Amino acid sequence: MRLETMSFPRALRRFAGAVAVLLTAAGSVAAQPVWVSHGPVSGSTITSVWVSPTNPDFLYAGHPSGGVYRSSDGGDTWTRVVTGLTNTNVQIVQAAASNPQVVYAGTTDGKLFRSVNGGNSWTGVTPAPQPFPALGDVAVDPTDPN
């Protein structure tokens, strides 16, 4: 019986502890798969991940207390990018497919933040008062990052 790895994109294979699950030729999980933690915050929960549709090595991750993290090497290294986020309890992170430098982050207090420089700085864009207790999802037009 031959063992092989699942064919996930590199960024997902290395993200949040899912390095590779060994499968048998028949498709069942191997008796003792090996998991390795490989996320922006070791041993922690990640609330959201966005992978660039044109470059799977470029991704953002949302963290429930650490804000937003960015990787440009498929998750090997991470940079915390939170300047301007008044709440780092991030529920959702989405970027524009047409321009991955435009990123949106939704927080647990219902605020929406926008970055136009890859997360290096953030600006609040939520009108007051916030209509929602928490933002669970954000949709970005694939052709218009604004």
Side-chain angles (χ1 to χ4, degrees):
M1 199 174 278
R2 196 175 109 236
L3 295 179
E4 56 190 62
T5 60
M6 289 180 142
S7 59
F8 288 121
R10 180 173 178 246
L12 294 180
R13 191 174 65 236
R14 303 212 51 176
F15 182 76
V19 171
V21 177
L22 297 176
L23 298 180
T24 65
S28 62
V29 176
Q32 294 184 5
V34 176
W35 294 90
V36 177
S37 180
H38 198 82
V41 182
S42 182
S44 184
T45 301
I46 297 301
T47 55
S48 178
V49 63
W50 181 87
V51 180
S52 169
T54 57
N55 178 4
D57 282 341
F58 191 80
L59 50 126
Y60 295 100
H63 186 271
S65 63
V68 177
Y69 291 82
R70 177 184 61 217
S71 177
S72 59
D73 58 12
D76 286 335
T77 59
W78 294 88
T79 302
R80 186 172 184 237
V81 288
V82 297
T83 301
L85 283 178
T86 58
N87 181 350
T88 57
N89 296 315
V90 173
Q91 290 289 107
I92 184 72
V93 62
Q94 289 287 336
S98 60
N99 181 359
Q101 294 297 304
V102 178
V103 192
Y104 295 88
T107 61
T108 56
D109 61 358
K111 293 181 181 170
L112 180 66
F113 294 87
R114 180 176 189 245
S115 173
V116 295
N117 56 12
N120 290 328
S121 62
W122 297 88
T123 304
V125 296
T126 308
Q130 291 88 282
F132 306 106
L135 285 176
D137 204 359
V138 173
V140 182
D141 186 313
T143 60
D144 182 4
N146 298 308

